[in-house]
Amino acid sequence: MPEPDLRLFFLLQRAAHQLRTTADRRLLAAAGITTAQLGALFAVRDRPGLSQRELAHTLGLRESAVTGLVGRLTAAGLIERGPHPSEHRAVVLELTDTGRDALRAARPEIDRFNAELRELLGEEGFTGTAGALGRLVDWRP
């Protein structure tokens, strides 16, 4: 029996790419959005009125990357920009009805995708992997 591949970083990159491309394809078909857009829509839904800077922090992205993402979401009518109540150069983000519709359309595909991952990994493996990845996201060496 061959030795298991223990190059964790390499495996994480390959798995993330496989998961992202599969999820993007499915979400585009179901709701017309990508996984990056889905993450942003969830963040805006969960924290209405958050700023682009706060969205960048929430998503773990540079502000320049979020500027483009917000521009695409705004152009698609999924979110709206509004004036920040105390910072004249900042904007706040709000979900539109179209954005809420996209999240509703994405929900069955998200549920199917997670069910497939649960089947692949088993319930214990799914829960353990989610916990381990959560710890890696919060890791500050």
Side-chain angles (χ1 to χ4, degrees):
M1 189 159 166
E3 292 278 326
D5 191 341
L6 299 177
R7 298 172 296 169
L8 183 61
F9 185 76
F10 173 72
L11 291 170
L12 285 170
Q13 285 183 310
R14 289 195 56 209
H17 176 75
Q18 173 68 18
L19 292 168
R20 185 175 32 259
T21 56
T22 300
D24 278 346
R25 181 176 36 82
R26 291 179 178 192
L27 284 171
L28 281 167
I33 57 174
T34 65
T35 53
Q37 292 169 331
L38 178 70
L41 291 176
F42 275 136
V44 173
R45 182 203 65 190
D46 294 345
R47 292 184 54 207
L50 89 161
S51 69
Q52 283 190 204
R53 176 175 289 171
E54 292 167 326
L55 179 60
H57 178 75
T58 298
L59 299 177
L61 298 173
R62 290 185 314 269
E63 286 186 53
S64 59
V66 168
T67 298
L69 177 61
V70 167
R72 289 186 295 280
L73 291 170
T74 302
L78 299 167
I79 63 170
E80 294 176 333
R81 293 179 178 124
H84 192 282
S86 60
E87 298 177 39
H88 79 282
R89 292 180 50 176
V91 297
V92 295
L93 307 172
E94 300 285 343
L95 208 56
T96 64
D97 289 341
T98 303
R100 281 185 278 284
D101 291 344
L103 286 177
R104 275 192 292 280
R107 175 54 59 196
E109 194 54 53
I110 294 166
D111 292 344
R112 264 191 298 282
F113 197 71
N114 279 327
E116 290 174 21
L117 292 175
R118 276 188 165 85
E119 185 177 327
L120 175 68
L121 300 172
E123 188 59 42
E124 187 174 308
F126 181 89
T127 304
T129 300
L133 292 174
R135 289 189 299 279
L136 285 174
V137 166
D138 294 334
W139 182 43
R140 301 292 179 254

